[in-house]
Amino acid sequence: MKLVFLGTGGSYPTPERNVPCTALKYKGEIILFDCGEGSQRQLMRSSLSFMQTDKIFITHFHGDHFLGIPGLVQSMNMNDREEPLYIYGPEGTVSLLKDLLSRGYFGAGFPIHISELKPEARLDFDDYHISALKVNHGVPSIGYSFEERDKKGRFDREKALDLGIPEGPLFSRIHDGKTVEINGKVIHPEEIVGPPRRGKKIVYTGDTRPCQTVIEASIGADVLIHDSTLDSSMSDRAMERGHTSTVMAAEVASKADVKKLFLIHISPRYTDGKGLEDEAREIFDKSKVPDDLFEYEL
Ligand SMILES: [Zn+2]
Ligand SMILES: [Zn+2]
């Protein structure tokens, strides 16, 4: 599983940073959180294939977060995509995107499923679920929490063979938590299988002021990706505009005790993220301002 920060800027693109789009590569699929203008080109510049994008989660309908969708969809179409694409967002998503995707002389040749999520909605998939989070930005906005299911414990193959269990279906049986009997001896799964391994959790806020729902949803998260539009000297201005400053984002990460904080939606006024990262690290030392195309393995 890895995160690829395709666009780490906010409001409008600069030569250094594109507008928000963060990709999560999970097994064979790519999930995008926000899809600002030019995100398809960022995907092409990255290690990811844009054609593998399965799901797009939009936080809100300020242009820097969704204007990349029509271009991406049209490029998928020109490359003969057949697989469905799923797009989710807050209230207003269905009518806005249906309208947007019907503009021009264009009709997609593959299914596009568009859904609206209420804050606190939960979508269950095979190996993970994604929940919407109410955030505070001044327009209908939601953040997202990706939570992988806990995984089975590690299977000690050598020990299983030593105990006389033949390789084959009995391995799966005991890995699934069932006891097996070999030559009259009962073998319990805990003898061979370790404790379940906790699934990974990633929280993506989109644009928001610091808020309690994000703190609560982020407790113990492996990664928090937080709005960090302005530096600490402009915290009041960030709040007025529905955003968060570096130090305020670091305080959220510290309260939630996350393992890693990524600060994104960096204002176009900053050409270098170093100063922003330094001041966040004074409060939360696991803070990072990623550059565009930065990759993080989980
Ligand atoms: Zn924005
Ligand atoms: Zn916004």
Side-chain angles (χ1 to χ4, degrees):
M1 176 181 344
K2 72 176 174 184
L3 285 162
V4 183
F5 292 88
L6 296 166
T8 57
S11 307
Y12 57 87
T14 65
E16 292 80 24
R17 296 182 192 277
N18 205 48
V19 283
C21 183
T22 300
L24 172 63
K25 177 141 173 58
Y26 184 76
K27 298 187 177 171
E29 70 173 328
I30 294 170
I31 302 166
L32 298 185
F33 294 99
D34 283 326
C35 186
E37 174 192 349
S39 293
Q40 60 165 324
R41 189 152 185 275
Q42 294 296 86
L43 276 161
M44 289 166 195
R45 294 177 66 213
S46 77
S47 61
L48 306 174
S49 159
F50 74 96
M51 291 294 278
Q52 282 179 10
T53 303
D54 288 304
K55 303 182 182 86
I56 303 176
F57 289 86
I58 299 297
T59 56
H60 67 295
F61 289 97
H62 281 148
D64 51 331
H65 295 258
F66 76 98
L67 288 175
I69 294 174
L72 177 62
V73 165
Q74 293 200 19
S75 297
M76 287 172 167
N77 203 52
M78 283 184 206
N79 283 275
D80 302 323
R81 183 182 176 110
E82 292 176 358
E83 299 76 28
L85 175 69
Y86 296 87
I87 309 178
Y88 305 91
E91 64 179 86
T93 296
V94 172
S95 65
L96 194 149
L97 287 184
K98 280 196 170 155
D99 181 39
L100 188 66
L101 292 172
S102 66
R103 295 287 160 165
Y105 302 108
F106 172 74
F110 58 95
I112 302 177
H113 303 285
I114 304 171
S115 313
E116 290 179 13
L117 301 176
K118 292 198 168 22
E120 293 160 26
R122 170 177 161 142
L123 299 169
D124 281 281
F125 302 102
D126 286 349
D127 297 323
Y128 59 87
H129 71 262
I130 293 182
S131 306
L133 310 171
K134 189 169 170 52
V135 295
N136 178 357
H137 184 47
V139 297
S141 303
I142 48 179
Y144 295 101
S145 166
F146 167 97
E147 288 178 63
E148 188 185 24
R149 283 191 214 297
D150 289 345
K151 290 173 275 192
K152 291 179 198 171
R154 286 192 199 286
F155 185 86
D156 188 339
R157 189 173 171 278
E158 294 304 313
K159 193 165 178 195
L161 293 170
D162 284 351
L163 288 168
I165 305 171
E167 192 151 1
L170 287 181
F171 271 31
S172 321
R173 199 176 150 73
I174 202 158
H175 203 184
D176 285 339
K178 302 196 175 75
T179 52
V180 296
E181 198 177 322
I182 296 288
N183 304 326
K185 188 175 168 230
V186 174
I187 298 168
H188 297 279
E190 20 335 330
E191 295 176 62
I192 295 169
V193 181
R197 289 168 289 164
R198 196 179 63 78
K200 305 281 187 202
K201 181 174 174 181
I202 300 164
V203 175
Y204 178 88
T205 64
D207 293 359
T208 186
R209 299 179 179 94
C211 64
Q212 190 61 27
T213 45
V214 168
I215 296 172
E216 283 165 16
S218 305
I219 289 170
D222 295 277
V223 172
L224 170 61
I225 304 165
H226 205 293
D227 177 334
S228 172
T229 303
L230 295 168
D231 67 76
S232 60
S233 73
M234 286 190 276
S235 290
D236 289 347
R237 187 158 168 167
M239 288 291 280
E240 275 164 32
R241 298 187 175 191
H243 291 288
T244 302
S245 69
T246 49
V247 290
M248 294 156 93
E251 278 161 8
V252 170
S254 174
K255 282 179 190 159
D257 195 22
V258 301
K259 296 196 175 69
K260 187 83 188 169
L261 170 66
F262 289 105
L263 303 167
I264 66 160
H265 204 271
I266 304 301
S267 163
R269 76 189 66 216
Y270 308 105
T271 51
D272 177 4
K274 180 79 174 66
L276 301 171
E277 185 173 294
D278 287 348
E279 59 180 27
R281 280 191 175 173
E282 280 180 27
I283 290 169
F284 187 72
D285 66 358
K286 292 167 280 183
S287 303
K288 180 168 180 67
V289 177
D291 288 331
D292 279 14
L293 306 182
F294 177 79
E295 299 195 357
Y296 183 74
E297 298 269 355
L298 288 101

